[in-house]
Amino acid sequence: MIELDRPTFQKLWSRDQWAGLPVNKSLLSPLSFIERSVHVYGDKTAMVDGSRRLTYEQLGARTYRLASALRATGIEKGDRVALLAYNSDEALEAHFGVPQIGAVLVAINIRLSADEIGYILAHCGAKAIIAHPDFAHLIAPGLAASDLEHTIWVGHEPDGAAEFARPRTDGRTNSTATYEDFIASGSPEPFNLAIADEEDPISINYTSGTTGRPKGVMYTHRGAYLNALGEVYHSGLTGDSVYLWTLPMFHCNGWCYTWGVTAAGATHIALPRVEPKAIFDLIERERVTHLCGAPTVLVMIANEAPTKDYRFPRPLRILTAGAPPPPTVIARIESMGAVLTHAYGLTETYGPHTVSEWQIKWNDKTPEERSRLKARQGVGFIHAPELRVVDDEMHDVPADGTTMGEVVMRGNNVMKGYFNDPAATEKAFRGGWFHSGDLGVMHPDGYIELRDRAKDIIISGGENISTIEVERVVYAHPAVLEAAVIGVPDEKWGEVPKAFVTLKPGATASAQDIIAFCRDKIAHFKAPKTVEFGPLPKTSTGKVQKFKLRDQEWAGREKRIN
């Protein structure tokens, strides 16, 4: 185990990091969080990852070794370093080590297809990637089109690793190494941050948004710092907290909890795969106090508890975002001893931007009323209160809980912009506000509630799925004449894609044929789960009326939207 003694880290507090800045100012960066926690909580457990347990001193040492090793390979300020890995200590270290040298972390969704991952690697121009060998087959097809020069394998090199060390057309040869060997080559000595502006990008997170190709959402050091502190406040994290990683670290940098949990000096518990037994085992064994996750995680916890009358051994605070869970699930989770908080946001807002802030005066309400109030998207985070619901002319809609408009935000919690896409950035920021594309209402008490999603985005298990993207794939099937895709209710995932298909005259295809075809082209979670054949409802001009399809699928059931 690589260790670093406390005296070395004492140097952090005397270094000339802030030369040239006024005495009353320092750069806002979440990198300062690990420095403080190493100084304050050096011998406290920072990360539990399987059998490995790291103190904050050890985590800090590994972070600096990663940073210096990356710098020694030629990674410079502004270069992108990709991450394709399960929740792990290596993934957490990347959130600090990569930006320490001014490089930009690109954490990639491990559920994407090889084509999508290849596109992201090429679009962001990543020079290095930290990857688990389980995902080698997702990287290999796009390797030739990428700018990758270094592949760092978590754990061990995969079979066929030589492919990743092939000579490049420009004469250079890619380097490969295991993560432990790579950081062993680095120095544990702390060094000055390679940033001079807190508005420098710290990460790029790709989201499908409303088009088939993902867009790169740029986070800044300042935005990540403030959002992380917002998470600490609204979740009630302290140095005594123990946080279970049911939320993927690749998703909005774990909603910035990668930085927030560290800021609090709390303990991270890695969970590589979300499995019920592992969740309850870790809650019991590691004395977990906090976790986050999509409603699907809550459904899993509620339905697969060890016993029918199970209660958590200590108070458990849960933050959920995405489609609000059904009232029965909320009631079950709370009966188990959890305190549930509902939040809402987008990749473009560093994850959660609003919280359904609970008020004491609601404590005496009926369970049904409590669930309804918890399901609202609420008000802006403490550091990001700028939130409106507006009409097409950017006028605020009446706060009557009925009049719908678009939810718009601005301020500390909004992205820097889309990477290498100024046109999309300008469109998203029109009128001086970020346009979420989500439709909602403003209640008289100032809390917002979503009522529909513009552009027909499906939220399945916390993941955004573009219906346009899925429709394009369905249309590519040789037997398909017309197609429409919508989200339909699902007990586990909240909603899942369903395709409505009209076949070409004389053509034949089964539902399974269509589904299998799609699963070969896009990530499996994006593929339709069911297919219905027949004519599509249309307007007189031939436009498919998706609202009619939605109405028939959701009739008699409350549509659960985040």
Side-chain angles (χ1 to χ4, degrees):
M1 181 67 65
I2 300 170
E3 297 191 26
L4 184 64
D5 59 21
R6 183 178 293 272
T8 303
F9 265 99
Q10 295 290 346
K11 295 177 183 178
L12 292 172
W13 305 98
S14 61
R15 66 184 184 169
D16 193 23
Q17 172 62 49
W18 299 278
L21 291 175
V23 70
N24 60 352
K25 182 179 181 180
S26 59
L27 296 176
L28 300 185
S29 170
L31 302 182
S32 65
F33 297 149
I34 194 167
E35 296 176 3
R36 181 181 187 276
S37 290
V38 166
H39 179 71
V40 178
Y41 301 107
D43 58 358
K44 179 179 181 292
T45 300
M47 164 61 83
V48 177
D49 184 1
S51 61
R52 172 179 282 175
R53 306 180 80 89
L54 300 173
T55 66
Y56 266 104
E57 288 181 349
Q58 291 167 334
L59 181 66
R62 290 169 63 83
T63 292
Y64 277 100
R65 284 185 180 276
L66 172 61
S68 63
L70 287 170
R71 188 169 59 177
T73 63
I75 301 299
E76 301 176 345
K77 179 180 178 180
D79 288 342
R80 276 74 64 195
V81 176
L83 173 69
L84 190 66
Y86 300 111
N87 289 348
S88 60
D89 65 290
E90 295 90 350
L92 179 63
E93 290 156 16
H95 278 79
F96 292 94
V98 170
Q100 184 68 41
I101 58 173
V104 182
L105 180 67
V106 184
I108 302 175
N109 188 336
I110 62 176
R111 299 176 66 192
L112 296 179
S113 67
D115 175 69
E116 292 163 321
I117 290 172
Y119 171 81
I120 291 171
L121 290 174
H123 185 265
C124 77
K127 286 189 175 181
I129 186 169
I130 300 170
H132 193 283
D134 284 358
F135 309 121
H137 67 289
L138 298 176
I139 305 170
L143 203 57
S146 76
D147 294 324
L148 288 176
E149 299 175 6
H150 313 285
T151 304
I152 305 159
W153 297 109
V154 174
H156 61 87
E157 291 192 344
D159 293 338
E163 168 65 14
F164 293 84
R166 78 208 185 296
R168 297 172 57 88
T169 55
D170 56 12
R172 290 176 293 171
T173 300
N174 288 354
S175 71
T176 62
T178 64
Y179 187 88
E180 294 302 319
D181 287 344
F182 185 75
I183 68 170
S185 70
S187 168
E189 289 295 322
F191 51 86
N192 289 353
L193 302 180
I195 63 168
D197 189 340
E198 60 192 24
E199 295 293 344
D200 283 348
I202 190 172
S203 66
I204 299 174
N205 292 285
Y206 278 81
T207 176
S208 294
T210 59
T211 62
R213 280 303 189 186
K215 296 190 289 290
V217 177
M218 293 185 289
Y219 292 0
T220 67
H221 283 256
R222 171 185 168 83
Y225 176 97
L226 292 170
N227 183 270
L229 290 185
E231 304 288 4
V232 171
Y233 173 80
H234 288 291
S235 296
L237 287 165
T238 71
D240 295 327
S241 300
V242 179
Y243 181 85
L244 178 61
W245 274 102
T246 49
L247 180 74
M249 289 185 186
F250 63 69
H251 187 42
C252 305
N253 301 120
W255 294 350
C256 294
Y257 276 83
T258 45
W259 299 306
V261 174
T262 305
T267 300
H268 299 262
I269 308 296
L271 182 67
R273 297 176 179 84
V274 179
E275 298 171 344
K277 186 177 186 306
I279 290 174
F280 286 104
D281 285 348
L282 288 170
I283 286 174
E284 296 275 353
R285 184 170 69 249
E286 300 296 341
R287 303 180 65 82
V288 170
T289 61
H290 291 72
L291 63 83
C292 295
T296 52
V297 175
L298 295 159
V299 171
M300 181 185 298
I301 292 173
N303 292 338
E304 303 191 45
T307 61
K308 184 178 180 181
D309 57 351
Y310 179 87
R311 286 186 62 85
F312 298 112
R314 62 198 58 80
L316 180 66
R317 297 191 64 162
I318 299 176
L319 185 79
T320 186
T328 54
V329 174
I330 293 177
R332 169 60 174 151
I333 289 292
E334 292 188 334
S335 73
M336 295 167 68
V339 177
L340 185 67
T341 301
H342 176 220
Y344 154 74
L346 306 93
T347 302
E348 290 88 342
T349 61
Y350 294 73
H353 185 91
T354 76
V355 59
S356 190
E357 196 77 72
W358 191 253
Q359 301 196 29
I360 294 176
K361 63 185 179 182
W362 297 335
N363 285 346
D364 295 332
K365 291 187 177 294
T366 66
E368 292 77 14
E369 290 174 320
R370 288 168 56 90
S371 295
R372 178 178 56 82
L373 290 168
K374 282 182 178 288
R376 297 190 303 175
Q377 282 62 45
V379 296
F381 263 43
I382 191 169
H383 69 289
E386 299 93 344
L387 177 71
R388 299 167 64 199
V389 180
V390 301
D391 61 21
D392 291 340
E393 302 298 321
M394 291 295 291
H395 299 135
D396 292 291
V397 303
D400 55 12
T402 301
T403 306
M404 285 204 303
E406 184 183 15
V407 178
V408 296
M409 308 94 150
R410 62 170 292 121
N412 297 318
N413 227 45
V414 174
M415 65 176 178
K416 185 180 181 74
Y418 294 116
F419 182 68
N420 281 348
D421 198 340
T425 302
E426 182 179 0
K427 181 180 179 181
F429 288 169
R430 62 192 183 277
W433 290 76
F434 168 67
H435 289 254
S436 70
D438 294 331
L439 305 179
V441 301
M442 180 69 74
H443 285 279
D445 61 2
Y447 283 54
I448 68 165
E449 182 179 0
L450 296 193
R451 292 293 173 83
D452 202 352
R453 296 191 63 83
K455 308 297 185 182
D456 301 316
I457 286 292
I458 300 169
I459 299 181
S460 184
E463 300 284 355
N464 284 4
I465 301 174
S466 167
T467 58
I468 296 172
E469 177 187 12
V470 182
E471 285 167 1
R472 286 174 179 167
V473 177
V474 176
Y475 266 111
H477 191 284
V480 172
L481 177 65
E482 294 179 311
V485 174
I486 65 168
V488 299
D490 184 83
E491 289 299 320
K492 181 177 181 181
W493 301 111
E495 53 182 358
V496 295
K498 177 176 180 178
F500 293 82
V501 172
T502 301
L503 295 176
K504 295 176 181 177
T508 60
S510 67
Q512 287 305 312
D513 291 336
I514 302 294
I515 293 170
F517 179 84
C518 292
R519 286 168 66 90
D520 283 340
K521 305 295 183 183
I522 53 177
H524 289 185
F525 74 93
K526 296 182 180 181
K529 299 298 182 289
T530 55
V531 178
E532 184 172 322
F533 296 94
L536 304 178
K538 299 177 182 177
T539 65
S540 58
T541 59
K543 183 178 180 180
V544 176
Q545 296 174 306
K546 283 192 177 182
F547 72 91
K548 290 188 175 181
L549 299 175
R550 284 193 292 267
D551 286 348
Q552 75 182 35
E553 295 296 323
W554 291 89
R557 301 184 64 170
E558 178 184 358
K559 187 172 182 178
R560 301 184 291 277
I561 308 174
N562 79 327

